[in-house]
């Protein structure tokens, strides 16, 4: 097997400096010890929920075609936050036979109880790109259980565009909260006012008004080199607007799908979205601001919040270990702004015409923490959707109305239309189990049925959004808003693809079957 220099670099990142083991092992083994730990990402000390003692959680690096085997050991004890947990690999397409390992509580599984362990196994297949992992139980990842997942492609079609792509080129953006998630959720449920974060973090570091001057996160580069920067919005609410002073960003991937190169100066990212961009270190040796201002609720509701302090530093080798000498800004005012509708797939693909069309109308009950999809607010059932599918043939009467489950026939093309709204707010809707063709982005009034981008998270609102996907992966797949406060308030559905095919494919392990009885036997404060 002949490998490019970039492919060898990827192997070196994953398996150490020795290049003797050219072929990666079939299984990539990862252990995540999920525990409470006192941390201060922005200088404010609080108890957190993190894996292996760090925020953001440790990067998981795998290679296309591997089996990713992740064992989580639940060591949580602090009941101001959830002490059960569950792991979701955001954007990874769990196969029908493996749906029980998908990690969506009460859709495909039950949570892992405190003091227990569970191993999730995923065959990564042909997927490659930028992903992330997080707890999918309630709003638990607000407390810190989130981290990057990169699936490298040793034959990346974009490899000629960059020189360096390793763990140092991952840039994670997140919202950070000084209060624990359960008290904040209770406040939201009582008032209908979504919590507003204290801080925006870049690679786990941030500052807030009046707080200590925590050293900025630094991304190091060498003049003349080209870098594949993997950008991940790991927030539970915030929209980040990304730019790097004096540098262009060339988008080459969106949510794990390779795109035609698109060069911009400013890139907006909704919660859950990921992009790869190529940055050429072609400026004078110096320090440059990585600008990451955010929006996510009125800052008047939280005096700690200062979006200008959401930033990091791009540092050239040879530059002093100091802040940039230029002012902190929100980014260029006259540059090229990214428009999602302008993205095109690297491999052109014309989506099939729809066999059936659904219209999903999103509404909120004024003054309450209740969001509806077609007048239904999703409430998680006690028994996971998958468990009901495995019990026998299902129809609409199998599920409570509040489960908001759409039963879809096998191997059809489904179109989902989100009507225009009166405002420009974007709900980042995320589909598990599949990605979708983005027929109409909310960033454009036009439909694209010739060569739309495929992705798994897109904004819904404004001028309306239309997506299309194939029901070729049997299973119950969550389809929800990635603003997790909204998801907790019911802004979610289940797209149940081919339930008969799912039941025929799934043969769950005893360990999976034990999860629900163990969880259901817990007292409420342990769930």
């Amino acid at each position: 097997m002949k490998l490019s220099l970039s492919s060898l670099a990827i192997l070196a990142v994953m398996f150490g400096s020795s290049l003797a083991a050219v072929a990666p092992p079939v299984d990539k083994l990862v252990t995540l010890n999920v525990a409470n730990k006192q941390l201060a990402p922005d200088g404010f000390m609080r108890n957190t929920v993190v894996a292996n003692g760090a925020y953001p959680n440790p990067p998981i690096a795998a290679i296309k075609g591997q089996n990713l085997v992740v064992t989580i050991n639940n060591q949580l004890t602090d009941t101001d936050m959830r002490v059960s947990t569950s792991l979701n690999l955001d954007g990874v397409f769990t196969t029908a036979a493996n749906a029980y390992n998908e990690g969506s509580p009460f859709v495909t599984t039950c949570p892992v109880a405190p003091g227990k362990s569970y191993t999730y196994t995923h065959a990564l297949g042909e997927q490659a790109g930028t992903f992330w992992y997080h707890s999918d139980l309630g709003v638990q990842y607000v407390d810190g259980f989130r981290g990057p997942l990169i699936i490298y492609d040793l034959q990346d079609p974009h490899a000629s565009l960059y020189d360096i792509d390793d763990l140092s080129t991952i840039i994670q953006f997140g919202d950070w909260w000084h209060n624990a998630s359960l008290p904040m959720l209770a406040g939201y449920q009582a008032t209908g006012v979504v919590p507003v974060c204290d801080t925006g973090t870049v690679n786990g570091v941030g500052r807030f008004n009046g707080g200590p001057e925590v050293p900025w996160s630094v991304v190091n580069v060498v003049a003349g080199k080209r870098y594949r920067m993997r950008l991940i919005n790991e927030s539970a609410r915030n929209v980040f607007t990304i730019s790097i002073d004096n540098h262009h960003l060339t988008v080459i991937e969106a949510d794990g799908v390779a795109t035609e190169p698109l060069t911009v100066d400013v890139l907006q990212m909704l919660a859950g979205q990921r992009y790869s961009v190529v940055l050429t270190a072609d400026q004078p040796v110096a320090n440059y601001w990585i600008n990451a201002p955010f929006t996510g609720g009125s800052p008047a509701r939280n005096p700690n919040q200062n979006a200008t302090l959401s930033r990091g530093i791009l540092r050239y080798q040879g530059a002093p270990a100091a802040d940039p000498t230029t002012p902190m800004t929100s980014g260029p005012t006259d540059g090229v702004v990214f428009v999602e509708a302008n993205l095109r797939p690297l491999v052109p693909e014309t989506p099939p015409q729809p066999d059936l069309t659904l219209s999903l109308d999103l509404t909120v009950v004024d003054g309450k923490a209740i969001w509806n999809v077609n007048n239904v607010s999703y409430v998680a059932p006690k028994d996971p959707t998958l468990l009901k599918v495995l019990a026998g043939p299902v129809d609409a009467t199998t599920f409570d109305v509040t489960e908001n489950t759409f039963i879809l026939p096998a191997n059809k093309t489904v179109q989902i239309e989100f009507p225009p709204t009166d405002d420009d707010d974007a709900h980042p809707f995320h589909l598990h189990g599949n990605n979708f063709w983005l027929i109409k982005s909310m960033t454009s009034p036009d439909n694209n049925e010739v060569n739309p981008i495929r992705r798994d998270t897109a904004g819904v609102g404004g001028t309306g959004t239309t997506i299309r996907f194939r029901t070729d992966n049997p299973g119950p797949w969550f389809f929800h808003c990635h603003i997790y406060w909204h998801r907790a308030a019911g802004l979610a559905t289940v797209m149940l693809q081919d339930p008969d095919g799912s039941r025929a494919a799934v043969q769950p392990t005893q360990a999976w079957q034990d999860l629900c009885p163990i969880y259901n036997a817990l007292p409420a404060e342990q769930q």
Side-chain angles (χ1 to χ4, degrees), residues 67 104 109 382 405 449 451 465 520:
N67 297 321
S104 296
T109 191
K382 178 180 179 181
T405 298
E449 300 192 59
N451 59 347
T465 304
N520 290 332

Side-chain angles (χ1 to χ4, degrees), residues 38-236:
Q38 291 282 327
L39 293 172
D42 61 357
F44 179 89
M45 189 66 69
R46 58 155 291 190
N47 214 11
T48 65
V49 174
V50 293
N52 297 0
Y55 172 79
N57 299 184
I60 296 176
I63 287 178
K64 178 180 173 180
Q66 284 190 303
N67 297 321
L68 180 57
V69 183
V70 184
T71 298
I72 63 169
N73 300 313
N74 185 352
Q75 302 166 355
L76 297 170
T77 59
D78 186 345
T79 54
D80 278 341
M81 301 167 279
R82 298 295 287 266
V83 291
S84 291
T85 194
S86 188
L87 176 71
N88 178 248
L89 307 184
D90 212 290
V92 173
F93 307 152
T94 310
T95 60
N98 197 43
Y100 63 94
N101 272 326
E102 195 266 343
S104 296
F106 315 111
V107 179
T108 58
T109 191
C110 277
V112 180
K116 302 298 181 179
S117 300
Y118 187 80
T119 297
Y120 302 83
T121 300
H122 294 269
L124 298 178
E126 292 300 304
Q127 280 194 278
T130 307
F131 305 90
W132 63 302
Y133 66 90
H134 59 82
S135 168
D136 221 23
L137 178 61
V139 293
Q140 188 180 55
Y141 88 72
V142 165
D143 295 308
F145 187 5
R146 37 183 158 161
L149 164 61
I150 309 301
I151 306 175
Y152 293 101
D153 185 351
L154 299 183
Q155 298 178 333
D156 179 17
H158 280 317
S160 64
L161 300 182
Y162 57 87
D163 306 304
I164 298 172
D165 174 24
D166 58 26
L167 299 183
S168 74
T169 64
I170 302 170
I171 308 180
Q172 302 165 80
F173 305 94
D175 40 20
W176 191 248
W177 318 72
H178 290 177
N179 296 314
S181 59
L182 289 185
M184 287 195 294
L185 181 60
Y188 173 39
Q189 292 168 335
T191 64
V193 177
V194 180
V196 175
C197 78
D198 296 273
T199 310
T201 61
V202 177
N203 281 341
V205 176
R207 295 182 183 180
F208 63 95
N209 276 334
E213 293 189 351
V214 177
W216 305 109
S217 175
V218 175
V219 177
N220 293 293
V221 296
V222 176
K225 297 293 186 180
R226 302 167 302 166
Y227 294 81
R228 179 174 182 159
M229 300 294 187
R230 295 179 181 267
L231 313 181
I232 309 173
N233 184 347
E234 296 176 358
S235 69

Side-chain angles (χ1 to χ4, degrees), residues 473-485:
N473 189 21
W477 308 122
F478 217 15
F479 185 44
H480 61 85
C481 181
H482 225 300
I483 297 173
Y484 262 47
W485 304 104

